[in-house]
Amino acid sequence: MITKTEMSKKDFFIEIDHASIEKCGQMVCGDVFMSRKVQKEGRTVCVLSDGLGSGIKANVLATMTASMALNFTLADQPIERSARSIRNTLPQDEVRKISYASFTIIDNSYDGATRIIEYGNPQCLVFRNTTPLPLENNLTDSPDQLAVNAIQVGKGDRIVLFSDGVSQSGMGRNDMPFGWEMDAVSDFISWQIGRNNEISAHDLCKKIVVQANNNDRYHARDDITCSVIYFREPRAMLVCSGPPYNIDKDGYVAKVMDEFDGAKVICGGTTAQIMSRELKRDIEMDLFSGVDGIPPVSYMDGVDLVTEGILTLGKISATLANHSFDQLQKRNPARKLMEMFMAHDKITFLVGTKVNEAHQDPNLPAELDIRRNVIKKIAAILQNEYLKAVDIKYI
Amino acid sequence: MKRIEIKICTGTLCHVMGGADLPDFALELRDKYQEKIHISGSTCMNYCKDSSLTPPFVEIDGHLIQQADREKISTYLESIMES
């Protein structure tokens, strides 16, 4: 799951992503990460919970804990009371006769003020560039010993949460008898950020999880989960698709695209022809780049990606809906476009509404949707499931 | 010698009407004729706006082939190679 929140007041975006690997031999992960944004309050709450044990049982414990922690936090309940409610609600483990799931709550408000509440998980790390910030850890008086931190985050900061499957990975190996350990994890993250200062939350959490699994020699001995919250510069992207209803607007559309500050994509053969004609730039097609029934991509100066229209968009709307774009081939044009969606926060669609009448022929071997509908569908998914700021303009 | 220009349309309509196989065929042609031909793709050649024509479309040295398939392209290529 990927979630992003627009922080209009501070003009930074929050990119949130997590990656998990379940304990070797288990079907599901016993760590659960949940996040929710409340647009009205400009607030984002994330919870990572690690259930006792592993497998389904742990997943149930962690899911209950995470969803309760999330909802109690959003309802502004005092944290001690939330912790007590969670503990009383969780079912008892038959073997150990206790009920337990650890959790970390990140409660961020729009101005960057962030509360971190931790119970039982390895301490989360806050990075400003490559340096981890020192956290104070005020323990509460309650028997739960919750650690509470209040920090102020700014543009470029990252918060990294992980389960003990990460910090204890590799335990027992000659070169790391006590596992990976916090200091080494922290150094690894610093190094990754140093290598690529702009590394996305998506890539960073994946790298950490893969390294932890590697420490365990690819037989994870505990559920491994890492989530990263990245407060970053918003990235803008423009998708031009479809010829304008009125041919007089061709020049205007080309001008808007040419002057746009951000990534640019053309989606549609006729649209590409119009842009090429108006901007007097050649289109170079890579005829052999089409795969899996998606027509090939082309290149044009000043444009990041040129694809075919309705088939590519249709594929994207189907794939985005079930979060399965990782399963498409890397060179699939639809995947290339989806990766661009993932990497950007503010996405504008400039949609020409002229209908290609030949597409409406009922004798066609494939069903060709109307562009406007497909884009509406994609926009809704990007907005609701991937929390992008999406804008559609019809021309 | 001037190379023969082959232009394949990969627009939506051409693609669903059978043009999807043409890039693979283009590879075969390139192996066969080597330097004698030059193959390129077009995002849309605008023939689909004319309802009297049937996709997929291929242009060989400016000559339009409708409902292009392997056979039609081969036949036409051979005929101009001979002349």
Side-chain angles (χ1 to χ4, degrees), chain A residues 269-270 272-273 285 287-288 293 295-296 298 308 310-311 356 358-359 364-366 368, chain B residues 8 10-13 15-17 23 26-27 30 39-44 46 48-49:
Chain A
T270 311
Q273 294 295 336
M285 171 169 286
L287 188 58
F288 310 109
S298 312
E308 177 273 347
I310 209 72
L311 295 169
N356 189 340
H359 286 192
L364 283 182
L368 299 179
Chain B
I8 299 173
T10 65
T12 310
L13 214 54
H15 186 87
V16 297
M17 292 296 281
L27 279 177
R30 208 168 55 177
I39 301 173
S40 61
S42 169
T43 57
C44 181
N46 272 330
C48 50
K49 274 64 174 186

PDB file of all heavy atoms in Angstrom, chain A residues 269-270 272-273 285 287-288 293 295-296 298 308 310-311 356 358-359 364-366 368, chain B residues 8 10-13 15-17 23 26-27 30 39-44 46 48-49:
ATOM      1  N   GLY A 269      -2.023   8.217 -29.706  1.00  0.00           N
ATOM      2  CA  GLY A 269      -1.318   8.372 -30.968  1.00  0.00           C
ATOM      3  C   GLY A 269      -1.646   9.679 -31.660  1.00  0.00           C
ATOM      4  O   GLY A 269      -0.764  10.407 -32.095  1.00  0.00           O
ATOM      5  N   THR A 270      -2.932   9.993 -31.732  1.00  0.00           N
ATOM      6  CA  THR A 270      -3.335  11.231 -32.404  1.00  0.00           C
ATOM      7  C   THR A 270      -2.824  12.438 -31.620  1.00  0.00           C
ATOM      8  O   THR A 270      -2.356  13.420 -32.204  1.00  0.00           O
ATOM      9  CB  THR A 270      -4.872  11.291 -32.533  1.00  0.00           C
ATOM     10  OG1 THR A 270      -5.314  10.039 -33.063  1.00  0.00           O
ATOM     11  CG2 THR A 270      -5.307  12.398 -33.431  1.00  0.00           C
ATOM     12  N   ALA A 272      -0.192  12.607 -29.835  1.00  0.00           N
ATOM     13  CA  ALA A 272       1.240  12.741 -30.098  1.00  0.00           C
ATOM     14  C   ALA A 272       1.459  13.443 -31.441  1.00  0.00           C
ATOM     15  O   ALA A 272       2.328  14.306 -31.564  1.00  0.00           O
ATOM     16  CB  ALA A 272       1.893  11.363 -30.097  1.00  0.00           C
ATOM     17  N   GLN A 273       0.631  13.079 -32.442  1.00  0.00           N
ATOM     18  CA  GLN A 273       0.754  13.714 -33.754  1.00  0.00           C
ATOM     19  C   GLN A 273       0.481  15.216 -33.653  1.00  0.00           C
ATOM     20  O   GLN A 273       1.159  16.030 -34.264  1.00  0.00           O
ATOM     21  CB  GLN A 273      -0.232  13.094 -34.749  1.00  0.00           C
ATOM     22  CG  GLN A 273       0.043  11.645 -35.098  1.00  0.00           C
ATOM     23  CD  GLN A 273       1.352  11.456 -35.830  1.00  0.00           C
ATOM     24  OE1 GLN A 273       1.848  12.363 -36.464  1.00  0.00           O
ATOM     25  NE2 GLN A 273       1.934  10.271 -35.724  1.00  0.00           N
ATOM     26  N   MET A 285       9.712   6.507 -32.864  1.00  0.00           N
ATOM     27  CA  MET A 285       9.059   5.373 -32.208  1.00  0.00           C
ATOM     28  C   MET A 285      10.021   4.208 -32.034  1.00  0.00           C
ATOM     29  O   MET A 285      10.803   3.896 -32.927  1.00  0.00           O
ATOM     30  CB  MET A 285       7.857   4.911 -33.018  1.00  0.00           C
ATOM     31  CG  MET A 285       7.289   3.603 -32.490  1.00  0.00           C
ATOM     32  SD  MET A 285       5.722   3.189 -33.208  1.00  0.00           S
ATOM     33  CE  MET A 285       4.665   4.336 -32.374  1.00  0.00           C
ATOM     34  N   LEU A 287       9.681   0.829 -32.226  1.00  0.00           N
ATOM     35  CA  LEU A 287       8.641  -0.074 -32.740  1.00  0.00           C
ATOM     36  C   LEU A 287       8.568  -1.396 -31.975  1.00  0.00           C
ATOM     37  O   LEU A 287       7.535  -2.039 -31.927  1.00  0.00           O
ATOM     38  CB  LEU A 287       8.919  -0.333 -34.229  1.00  0.00           C
ATOM     39  CG  LEU A 287       7.870  -1.092 -35.019  1.00  0.00           C
ATOM     40  CD1 LEU A 287       6.527  -0.399 -34.969  1.00  0.00           C
ATOM     41  CD2 LEU A 287       8.311  -1.237 -36.464  1.00  0.00           C
ATOM     42  N   PHE A 288       9.685  -1.776 -31.357  1.00  0.00           N
ATOM     43  CA  PHE A 288       9.726  -3.112 -30.748  1.00  0.00           C
ATOM     44  C   PHE A 288       9.564  -3.067 -29.229  1.00  0.00           C
ATOM     45  O   PHE A 288       9.899  -4.013 -28.541  1.00  0.00           O
ATOM     46  CB  PHE A 288      11.017  -3.806 -31.152  1.00  0.00           C
ATOM     47  CG  PHE A 288      11.224  -3.744 -32.635  1.00  0.00           C
ATOM     48  CD1 PHE A 288      12.210  -2.942 -33.191  1.00  0.00           C
ATOM     49  CD2 PHE A 288      10.380  -4.445 -33.483  1.00  0.00           C
ATOM     50  CE1 PHE A 288      12.364  -2.856 -34.564  1.00  0.00           C
ATOM     51  CE2 PHE A 288      10.524  -4.361 -34.862  1.00  0.00           C
ATOM     52  CZ  PHE A 288      11.513  -3.570 -35.405  1.00  0.00           C
ATOM     53  N   GLY A 293       0.411  -7.056 -25.490  1.00  0.00           N
ATOM     54  CA  GLY A 293      -0.771  -6.413 -26.062  1.00  0.00           C
ATOM     55  C   GLY A 293      -0.827  -4.909 -25.888  1.00  0.00           C
ATOM     56  O   GLY A 293      -1.831  -4.291 -26.213  1.00  0.00           O
ATOM     57  N   PRO A 295       0.647  -1.376 -27.174  1.00  0.00           N
ATOM     58  CA  PRO A 295       1.446  -0.828 -28.281  1.00  0.00           C
ATOM     59  C   PRO A 295       2.709  -0.114 -27.772  1.00  0.00           C
ATOM     60  O   PRO A 295       2.772   0.268 -26.598  1.00  0.00           O
ATOM     61  CB  PRO A 295       0.484   0.163 -28.946  1.00  0.00           C
ATOM     62  CG  PRO A 295      -0.868  -0.265 -28.534  1.00  0.00           C
ATOM     63  CD  PRO A 295      -0.719  -0.841 -27.180  1.00  0.00           C
ATOM     64  N   PRO A 296       3.699   0.030 -28.656  1.00  0.00           N
ATOM     65  CA  PRO A 296       5.009   0.541 -28.250  1.00  0.00           C
ATOM     66  C   PRO A 296       5.033   2.003 -27.803  1.00  0.00           C
ATOM     67  O   PRO A 296       4.089   2.752 -28.045  1.00  0.00           O
ATOM     68  CB  PRO A 296       5.860   0.362 -29.513  1.00  0.00           C
ATOM     69  CG  PRO A 296       4.913   0.213 -30.622  1.00  0.00           C
ATOM     70  CD  PRO A 296       3.660  -0.343 -30.074  1.00  0.00           C
ATOM     71  N   SER A 298       7.028   5.874 -27.750  1.00  0.00           N
ATOM     72  CA  SER A 298       7.782   6.734 -28.666  1.00  0.00           C
ATOM     73  C   SER A 298       8.531   7.768 -27.842  1.00  0.00           C
ATOM     74  O   SER A 298       8.303   7.895 -26.638  1.00  0.00           O
ATOM     75  CB  SER A 298       6.859   7.457 -29.624  1.00  0.00           C
ATOM     76  OG  SER A 298       5.956   6.552 -30.194  1.00  0.00           O
ATOM     77  N   GLU A 308       0.645   4.910 -26.395  1.00  0.00           N
ATOM     78  CA  GLU A 308      -0.644   4.812 -27.067  1.00  0.00           C
ATOM     79  C   GLU A 308      -1.702   5.213 -26.031  1.00  0.00           C
ATOM     80  O   GLU A 308      -1.426   5.280 -24.826  1.00  0.00           O
ATOM     81  CB  GLU A 308      -0.808   3.366 -27.539  1.00  0.00           C
ATOM     82  CG  GLU A 308      -2.117   3.032 -28.213  1.00  0.00           C
ATOM     83  CD  GLU A 308      -3.195   2.635 -27.239  1.00  0.00           C
ATOM     84  OE1 GLU A 308      -2.911   2.382 -26.059  1.00  0.00           O
ATOM     85  OE2 GLU A 308      -4.349   2.596 -27.675  1.00  0.00           O
ATOM     86  N   ILE A 310      -5.877   4.542 -25.414  1.00  0.00           N
ATOM     87  CA  ILE A 310      -6.930   3.883 -24.653  1.00  0.00           C
ATOM     88  C   ILE A 310      -6.557   2.477 -24.162  1.00  0.00           C
ATOM     89  O   ILE A 310      -6.959   2.073 -23.081  1.00  0.00           O
ATOM     90  CB  ILE A 310      -8.244   3.894 -25.474  1.00  0.00           C
ATOM     91  CG1 ILE A 310      -9.447   3.905 -24.550  1.00  0.00           C
ATOM     92  CG2 ILE A 310      -8.324   2.775 -26.468  1.00  0.00           C
ATOM     93  CD1 ILE A 310      -9.633   5.217 -23.877  1.00  0.00           C
ATOM     94  N   LEU A 311      -5.781   1.734 -24.941  1.00  0.00           N
ATOM     95  CA  LEU A 311      -5.409   0.384 -24.495  1.00  0.00           C
ATOM     96  C   LEU A 311      -4.479   0.471 -23.281  1.00  0.00           C
ATOM     97  O   LEU A 311      -4.636  -0.274 -22.309  1.00  0.00           O
ATOM     98  CB  LEU A 311      -4.715  -0.387 -25.624  1.00  0.00           C
ATOM     99  CG  LEU A 311      -5.574  -0.685 -26.850  1.00  0.00           C
ATOM    100  CD1 LEU A 311      -4.711  -1.198 -27.989  1.00  0.00           C
ATOM    101  CD2 LEU A 311      -6.647  -1.698 -26.512  1.00  0.00           C
ATOM    102  N   ASN A 356     -12.910   9.474 -31.087  1.00  0.00           N
ATOM    103  CA  ASN A 356     -12.516   8.854 -32.346  1.00  0.00           C
ATOM    104  C   ASN A 356     -13.643   7.914 -32.766  1.00  0.00           C
ATOM    105  O   ASN A 356     -13.833   6.849 -32.174  1.00  0.00           O
ATOM    106  CB  ASN A 356     -11.204   8.080 -32.163  1.00  0.00           C
ATOM    107  CG  ASN A 356     -10.630   7.609 -33.481  1.00  0.00           C
ATOM    108  OD1 ASN A 356     -11.351   7.518 -34.480  1.00  0.00           O
ATOM    109  ND2 ASN A 356      -9.356   7.322 -33.495  1.00  0.00           N
ATOM    110  N   ALA A 358     -14.166   5.951 -35.139  1.00  0.00           N
ATOM    111  CA  ALA A 358     -13.836   4.595 -35.580  1.00  0.00           C
ATOM    112  C   ALA A 358     -13.727   3.644 -34.383  1.00  0.00           C
ATOM    113  O   ALA A 358     -13.903   2.437 -34.520  1.00  0.00           O
ATOM    114  CB  ALA A 358     -12.534   4.615 -36.363  1.00  0.00           C
ATOM    115  N   HIS A 359     -13.439   4.197 -33.192  1.00  0.00           N
ATOM    116  CA  HIS A 359     -13.335   3.356 -31.988  1.00  0.00           C
ATOM    117  C   HIS A 359     -14.690   2.822 -31.539  1.00  0.00           C
ATOM    118  O   HIS A 359     -14.763   1.922 -30.726  1.00  0.00           O
ATOM    119  CB  HIS A 359     -12.725   4.147 -30.829  1.00  0.00           C
ATOM    120  CG  HIS A 359     -11.262   4.375 -30.980  1.00  0.00           C
ATOM    121  ND1 HIS A 359     -10.468   4.837 -29.963  1.00  0.00           N
ATOM    122  CD2 HIS A 359     -10.432   4.185 -32.020  1.00  0.00           C
ATOM    123  CE1 HIS A 359      -9.223   4.943 -30.386  1.00  0.00           C
ATOM    124  NE2 HIS A 359      -9.169   4.559 -31.638  1.00  0.00           N
ATOM    125  N   LEU A 364     -15.521  -4.151 -33.623  1.00  0.00           N
ATOM    126  CA  LEU A 364     -14.111  -4.244 -33.237  1.00  0.00           C
ATOM    127  C   LEU A 364     -13.890  -5.460 -32.350  1.00  0.00           C
ATOM    128  O   LEU A 364     -14.751  -5.817 -31.546  1.00  0.00           O
ATOM    129  CB  LEU A 364     -13.690  -2.987 -32.463  1.00  0.00           C
ATOM    130  CG  LEU A 364     -13.434  -1.726 -33.273  1.00  0.00           C
ATOM    131  CD1 LEU A 364     -12.983  -0.621 -32.356  1.00  0.00           C
ATOM    132  CD2 LEU A 364     -12.392  -1.988 -34.333  1.00  0.00           C
ATOM    133  N   PRO A 365     -12.732  -6.111 -32.511  1.00  0.00           N
ATOM    134  CA  PRO A 365     -12.464  -7.306 -31.708  1.00  0.00           C
ATOM    135  C   PRO A 365     -12.239  -6.991 -30.230  1.00  0.00           C
ATOM    136  O   PRO A 365     -12.293  -7.880 -29.398  1.00  0.00           O
ATOM    137  CB  PRO A 365     -11.192  -7.866 -32.341  1.00  0.00           C
ATOM    138  CG  PRO A 365     -10.564  -6.720 -33.050  1.00  0.00           C
ATOM    139  CD  PRO A 365     -11.678  -5.838 -33.484  1.00  0.00           C
ATOM    140  N   ALA A 366     -11.956  -5.742 -29.888  1.00  0.00           N
ATOM    141  CA  ALA A 366     -11.735  -5.409 -28.480  1.00  0.00           C
ATOM    142  C   ALA A 366     -12.658  -4.273 -28.115  1.00  0.00           C
ATOM    143  O   ALA A 366     -13.072  -3.486 -28.960  1.00  0.00           O
ATOM    144  CB  ALA A 366     -10.289  -4.995 -28.263  1.00  0.00           C
ATOM    145  N   LEU A 368     -13.290  -0.802 -26.758  1.00  0.00           N
ATOM    146  CA  LEU A 368     -12.521   0.403 -26.495  1.00  0.00           C
ATOM    147  C   LEU A 368     -13.391   1.386 -25.722  1.00  0.00           C
ATOM    148  O   LEU A 368     -14.380   1.878 -26.239  1.00  0.00           O
ATOM    149  CB  LEU A 368     -12.046   1.028 -27.806  1.00  0.00           C
ATOM    150  CG  LEU A 368     -11.136   0.136 -28.654  1.00  0.00           C
ATOM    151  CD1 LEU A 368     -10.756   0.846 -29.937  1.00  0.00           C
ATOM    152  CD2 LEU A 368      -9.902  -0.255 -27.884  1.00  0.00           C
TER     153      LEU A 368
ATOM    154  N   ILE B   8       4.917   1.551 -40.214  1.00  0.00           N
ATOM    155  CA  ILE B   8       3.842   0.754 -39.619  1.00  0.00           C
ATOM    156  C   ILE B   8       3.088   1.603 -38.611  1.00  0.00           C
ATOM    157  O   ILE B   8       3.697   2.233 -37.745  1.00  0.00           O
ATOM    158  CB  ILE B   8       4.424  -0.485 -38.899  1.00  0.00           C
ATOM    159  CG1 ILE B   8       5.155  -1.366 -39.912  1.00  0.00           C
ATOM    160  CG2 ILE B   8       3.337  -1.268 -38.190  1.00  0.00           C
ATOM    161  CD1 ILE B   8       5.894  -2.516 -39.280  1.00  0.00           C
ATOM    162  N   THR B  10       0.950   2.086 -35.325  1.00  0.00           N
ATOM    163  CA  THR B  10       0.711   1.334 -34.085  1.00  0.00           C
ATOM    164  C   THR B  10      -0.396   1.983 -33.268  1.00  0.00           C
ATOM    165  O   THR B  10      -0.493   1.802 -32.070  1.00  0.00           O
ATOM    166  CB  THR B  10       1.984   1.262 -33.222  1.00  0.00           C
ATOM    167  OG1 THR B  10       2.290   2.599 -32.812  1.00  0.00           O
ATOM    168  CG2 THR B  10       3.142   0.688 -33.982  1.00  0.00           C
ATOM    169  N   GLY B  11      -1.215   2.798 -33.930  1.00  0.00           N
ATOM    170  CA  GLY B  11      -2.340   3.445 -33.238  1.00  0.00           C
ATOM    171  C   GLY B  11      -3.302   2.394 -32.691  1.00  0.00           C
ATOM    172  O   GLY B  11      -3.234   1.220 -33.046  1.00  0.00           O
ATOM    173  N   THR B  12      -4.200   2.843 -31.853  1.00  0.00           N
ATOM    174  CA  THR B  12      -5.105   1.924 -31.162  1.00  0.00           C
ATOM    175  C   THR B  12      -5.859   1.017 -32.131  1.00  0.00           C
ATOM    176  O   THR B  12      -5.895  -0.200 -31.981  1.00  0.00           O
ATOM    177  CB  THR B  12      -6.133   2.729 -30.345  1.00  0.00           C
ATOM    178  OG1 THR B  12      -5.428   3.683 -29.574  1.00  0.00           O
ATOM    179  CG2 THR B  12      -6.953   1.833 -29.460  1.00  0.00           C
ATOM    180  N   LEU B  13      -6.456   1.642 -33.146  1.00  0.00           N
ATOM    181  CA  LEU B  13      -7.317   0.886 -34.049  1.00  0.00           C
ATOM    182  C   LEU B  13      -6.506  -0.140 -34.844  1.00  0.00           C
ATOM    183  O   LEU B  13      -6.899  -1.301 -34.967  1.00  0.00           O
ATOM    184  CB  LEU B  13      -8.015   1.874 -34.992  1.00  0.00           C
ATOM    185  CG  LEU B  13      -9.410   1.494 -35.407  1.00  0.00           C
ATOM    186  CD1 LEU B  13     -10.283   1.225 -34.183  1.00  0.00           C
ATOM    187  CD2 LEU B  13     -10.028   2.621 -36.207  1.00  0.00           C
ATOM    188  N   HIS B  15      -3.746  -1.420 -33.987  1.00  0.00           N
ATOM    189  CA  HIS B  15      -3.258  -2.436 -33.052  1.00  0.00           C
ATOM    190  C   HIS B  15      -4.299  -3.522 -32.821  1.00  0.00           C
ATOM    191  O   HIS B  15      -4.009  -4.707 -32.923  1.00  0.00           O
ATOM    192  CB  HIS B  15      -2.886  -1.758 -31.732  1.00  0.00           C
ATOM    193  CG  HIS B  15      -2.241  -2.670 -30.748  1.00  0.00           C
ATOM    194  ND1 HIS B  15      -0.884  -2.885 -30.733  1.00  0.00           N
ATOM    195  CD2 HIS B  15      -2.754  -3.429 -29.754  1.00  0.00           C
ATOM    196  CE1 HIS B  15      -0.594  -3.735 -29.767  1.00  0.00           C
ATOM    197  NE2 HIS B  15      -1.701  -4.076 -29.166  1.00  0.00           N
ATOM    198  N   VAL B  16      -5.544  -3.118 -32.541  1.00  0.00           N
ATOM    199  CA  VAL B  16      -6.557  -4.136 -32.234  1.00  0.00           C
ATOM    200  C   VAL B  16      -7.046  -4.852 -33.488  1.00  0.00           C
ATOM    201  O   VAL B  16      -7.565  -5.954 -33.407  1.00  0.00           O
ATOM    202  CB  VAL B  16      -7.779  -3.562 -31.463  1.00  0.00           C
ATOM    203  CG1 VAL B  16      -7.362  -3.014 -30.118  1.00  0.00           C
ATOM    204  CG2 VAL B  16      -8.499  -2.514 -32.264  1.00  0.00           C
ATOM    205  N   MET B  17      -6.858  -4.249 -34.659  1.00  0.00           N
ATOM    206  CA  MET B  17      -7.329  -4.885 -35.886  1.00  0.00           C
ATOM    207  C   MET B  17      -6.266  -5.789 -36.518  1.00  0.00           C
ATOM    208  O   MET B  17      -6.358  -6.116 -37.695  1.00  0.00           O
ATOM    209  CB  MET B  17      -7.769  -3.820 -36.892  1.00  0.00           C
ATOM    210  CG  MET B  17      -9.015  -3.054 -36.468  1.00  0.00           C
ATOM    211  SD  MET B  17     -10.480  -4.079 -36.343  1.00  0.00           S
ATOM    212  CE  MET B  17     -10.923  -4.206 -38.074  1.00  0.00           C
ATOM    213  N   PRO B  23       5.020  -5.541 -35.753  1.00  0.00           N
ATOM    214  CA  PRO B  23       6.408  -5.309 -35.333  1.00  0.00           C
ATOM    215  C   PRO B  23       7.261  -6.585 -35.374  1.00  0.00           C
ATOM    216  O   PRO B  23       8.426  -6.538 -35.793  1.00  0.00           O
ATOM    217  CB  PRO B  23       6.257  -4.782 -33.908  1.00  0.00           C
ATOM    218  CG  PRO B  23       4.950  -4.086 -33.909  1.00  0.00           C
ATOM    219  CD  PRO B  23       4.079  -4.923 -34.821  1.00  0.00           C
ATOM    220  N   ALA B  26       8.106  -7.179 -38.827  1.00  0.00           N
ATOM    221  CA  ALA B  26       9.109  -6.198 -39.264  1.00  0.00           C
ATOM    222  C   ALA B  26      10.517  -6.697 -38.964  1.00  0.00           C
ATOM    223  O   ALA B  26      11.442  -6.480 -39.753  1.00  0.00           O
ATOM    224  CB  ALA B  26       8.852  -4.857 -38.579  1.00  0.00           C
ATOM    225  N   LEU B  27      10.659  -7.369 -37.817  1.00  0.00           N
ATOM    226  CA  LEU B  27      11.976  -7.922 -37.467  1.00  0.00           C
ATOM    227  C   LEU B  27      12.421  -8.937 -38.514  1.00  0.00           C
ATOM    228  O   LEU B  27      13.577  -8.951 -38.937  1.00  0.00           O
ATOM    229  CB  LEU B  27      11.918  -8.597 -36.099  1.00  0.00           C
ATOM    230  CG  LEU B  27      12.008  -7.684 -34.879  1.00  0.00           C
ATOM    231  CD1 LEU B  27      11.870  -8.499 -33.608  1.00  0.00           C
ATOM    232  CD2 LEU B  27      13.322  -6.923 -34.867  1.00  0.00           C
ATOM    233  N   ARG B  30      13.468  -7.232 -41.634  1.00  0.00           N
ATOM    234  CA  ARG B  30      14.763  -6.569 -41.484  1.00  0.00           C
ATOM    235  C   ARG B  30      15.895  -7.592 -41.649  1.00  0.00           C
ATOM    236  O   ARG B  30      16.925  -7.297 -42.233  1.00  0.00           O
ATOM    237  CB  ARG B  30      14.856  -5.894 -40.115  1.00  0.00           C
ATOM    238  CG  ARG B  30      15.771  -4.699 -40.116  1.00  0.00           C
ATOM    239  CD  ARG B  30      15.626  -3.888 -38.880  1.00  0.00           C
ATOM    240  NE  ARG B  30      15.820  -4.695 -37.675  1.00  0.00           N
ATOM    241  CZ  ARG B  30      15.805  -4.189 -36.447  1.00  0.00           C
ATOM    242  NH1 ARG B  30      15.589  -2.903 -36.274  1.00  0.00           N
ATOM    243  NH2 ARG B  30      15.981  -4.964 -35.409  1.00  0.00           N
ATOM    244  N   ILE B  39      12.634   0.472 -41.600  1.00  0.00           N
ATOM    245  CA  ILE B  39      11.315   0.317 -40.996  1.00  0.00           C
ATOM    246  C   ILE B  39      11.148   1.301 -39.852  1.00  0.00           C
ATOM    247  O   ILE B  39      12.041   1.459 -39.020  1.00  0.00           O
ATOM    248  CB  ILE B  39      11.136  -1.120 -40.452  1.00  0.00           C
ATOM    249  CG1 ILE B  39      11.312  -2.132 -41.588  1.00  0.00           C
ATOM    250  CG2 ILE B  39       9.772  -1.282 -39.800  1.00  0.00           C
ATOM    251  CD1 ILE B  39      11.333  -3.564 -41.130  1.00  0.00           C
ATOM    252  N   SER B  40      10.015   1.976 -39.820  1.00  0.00           N
ATOM    253  CA  SER B  40       9.745   2.856 -38.685  1.00  0.00           C
ATOM    254  C   SER B  40       8.291   2.691 -38.260  1.00  0.00           C
ATOM    255  O   SER B  40       7.490   2.086 -38.963  1.00  0.00           O
ATOM    256  CB  SER B  40      10.032   4.309 -39.061  1.00  0.00           C
ATOM    257  OG  SER B  40       9.189   4.686 -40.114  1.00  0.00           O
ATOM    258  N   GLY B  41       7.975   3.220 -37.088  1.00  0.00           N
ATOM    259  CA  GLY B  41       6.601   3.150 -36.595  1.00  0.00           C
ATOM    260  C   GLY B  41       6.009   4.537 -36.558  1.00  0.00           C
ATOM    261  O   GLY B  41       6.712   5.529 -36.529  1.00  0.00           O
ATOM    262  N   SER B  42       4.679   4.598 -36.564  1.00  0.00           N
ATOM    263  CA  SER B  42       4.010   5.882 -36.413  1.00  0.00           C
ATOM    264  C   SER B  42       2.957   5.741 -35.325  1.00  0.00           C
ATOM    265  O   SER B  42       2.343   4.678 -35.191  1.00  0.00           O
ATOM    266  CB  SER B  42       3.357   6.288 -37.723  1.00  0.00           C
ATOM    267  OG  SER B  42       2.506   7.387 -37.496  1.00  0.00           O
ATOM    268  N   THR B  43       2.784   6.797 -34.526  1.00  0.00           N
ATOM    269  CA  THR B  43       1.782   6.701 -33.456  1.00  0.00           C
ATOM    270  C   THR B  43       0.364   6.690 -34.028  1.00  0.00           C
ATOM    271  O   THR B  43      -0.534   6.108 -33.454  1.00  0.00           O
ATOM    272  CB  THR B  43       1.907   7.875 -32.478  1.00  0.00           C
ATOM    273  OG1 THR B  43       1.772   9.089 -33.221  1.00  0.00           O
ATOM    274  CG2 THR B  43       3.254   7.868 -31.778  1.00  0.00           C
ATOM    275  N   CYS B  44       0.173   7.354 -35.170  1.00  0.00           N
ATOM    276  CA  CYS B  44      -1.115   7.315 -35.860  1.00  0.00           C
ATOM    277  C   CYS B  44      -0.917   7.998 -37.202  1.00  0.00           C
ATOM    278  O   CYS B  44      -0.363   9.083 -37.266  1.00  0.00           O
ATOM    279  CB  CYS B  44      -2.215   8.033 -35.077  1.00  0.00           C
ATOM    280  SG  CYS B  44      -3.824   7.961 -35.889  1.00  0.00           S
ATOM    281  N   ASN B  46      -3.421   8.702 -39.206  1.00  0.00           N
ATOM    282  CA  ASN B  46      -4.656   9.437 -39.494  1.00  0.00           C
ATOM    283  C   ASN B  46      -5.566   8.805 -40.539  1.00  0.00           C
ATOM    284  O   ASN B  46      -6.589   9.386 -40.878  1.00  0.00           O
ATOM    285  CB  ASN B  46      -4.350  10.879 -39.904  1.00  0.00           C
ATOM    286  CG  ASN B  46      -4.271  11.766 -38.678  1.00  0.00           C
ATOM    287  OD1 ASN B  46      -4.938  11.484 -37.680  1.00  0.00           O
ATOM    288  ND2 ASN B  46      -3.447  12.788 -38.734  1.00  0.00           N
ATOM    289  N   CYS B  48      -7.296   6.226 -40.038  1.00  0.00           N
ATOM    290  CA  CYS B  48      -8.465   5.672 -39.347  1.00  0.00           C
ATOM    291  C   CYS B  48      -9.612   6.680 -39.292  1.00  0.00           C
ATOM    292  O   CYS B  48     -10.762   6.315 -39.050  1.00  0.00           O
ATOM    293  CB  CYS B  48      -8.091   5.197 -37.949  1.00  0.00           C
ATOM    294  SG  CYS B  48      -7.184   6.390 -36.969  1.00  0.00           S
ATOM    295  N   LYS B  49      -9.308   7.975 -39.535  1.00  0.00           N
ATOM    296  CA  LYS B  49     -10.385   8.971 -39.517  1.00  0.00           C
ATOM    297  C   LYS B  49     -11.248   8.855 -40.772  1.00  0.00           C
ATOM    298  O   LYS B  49     -12.327   9.422 -40.844  1.00  0.00           O
ATOM    299  CB  LYS B  49      -9.801  10.381 -39.419  1.00  0.00           C
ATOM    300  CG  LYS B  49      -9.514  10.874 -37.993  1.00  0.00           C
ATOM    301  CD  LYS B  49      -8.471  10.090 -37.293  1.00  0.00           C
ATOM    302  CE  LYS B  49      -8.064  10.636 -35.939  1.00  0.00           C
ATOM    303  NZ  LYS B  49      -6.920   9.874 -35.405  1.00  0.00           N
TER     304      LYS B  49
END
